[in-house]
Amino acid sequence: MHPVRERFIRGKLMPHYLECLSNYTKINVKESDLLSPSISDGILKRLHQLRTQEQYHEITPVDSFELQRILESVFNQGEELIIWIKDADICGMLKIPDFRSINTSFDLCVDNNGILSIFDAGLKREVTIDYSPDDDYGQTREGWIAYVTVYSE
């Protein structure tokens, strides 16, 4: 993509992108907090190798307490993590200090993509949360289903 076009698209996406990341974390995320798109792209390419590993399991459904328990069981306290959401290839991924920076009671309606991936800086473990409304209940917290997939080496 042409650099001028890329900057234009990034500028258009950035306000909502930062709102989504701030919603998923306990951090008021600013553009300066993000990794560059080129670094994020390199991480994503390396992460693909982890996702092809055989060692993964899915857990469904989950609530905010179960999600917190999963994060505590997969990641270590004080371990730097990286967050991926849609448009990270254009806007950049976010590094956070550890799993305690994740807001497990995030507003389900802010990010209509509904996919959040959290992985360690060494790209050895990943938790992917894929959530969507359950048509039987509508869009209340009780009416959402979250599928969690954990990848590890």
Side-chain angles (χ1 to χ4, degrees), residues 59-145:
I59 305 161
T60 183
V62 298
D63 59 18
S64 61
F65 299 108
E66 179 67 8
L67 179 56
Q68 183 67 34
R69 190 196 66 70
I70 292 166
L71 293 173
E72 289 172 359
S73 70
V74 173
F75 302 115
N76 299 315
Q77 195 168 337
E79 177 179 32
E80 188 174 64
L81 302 176
I82 301 171
I83 295 179
W84 174 94
I85 62 172
K86 182 179 180 285
D87 297 325
D89 58 327
I90 297 169
C91 297
M93 295 179 185
L94 175 68
K95 277 191 178 182
I96 59 172
D98 68 12
F99 68 84
R100 294 173 297 180
S101 298
I102 300 292
N103 173 17
T104 57
S105 297
F106 54 84
D107 183 340
L108 299 161
C109 297
V110 170
D111 182 5
N112 62 6
N113 184 53
I115 299 176
L116 164 68
S117 289
I118 306 159
F119 43 93
D120 68 305
L123 306 180
K124 305 246 184 253
R125 288 161 283 133
E126 176 185 11
V127 173
T128 297
I129 304 141
D130 183 351
Y131 61 92
S132 60
D134 181 347
D135 292 334
D136 293 336
Y137 293 97
Q139 293 191 1
T140 64
R141 182 163 275 286
E142 296 78 28
W144 289 77
I145 299 174

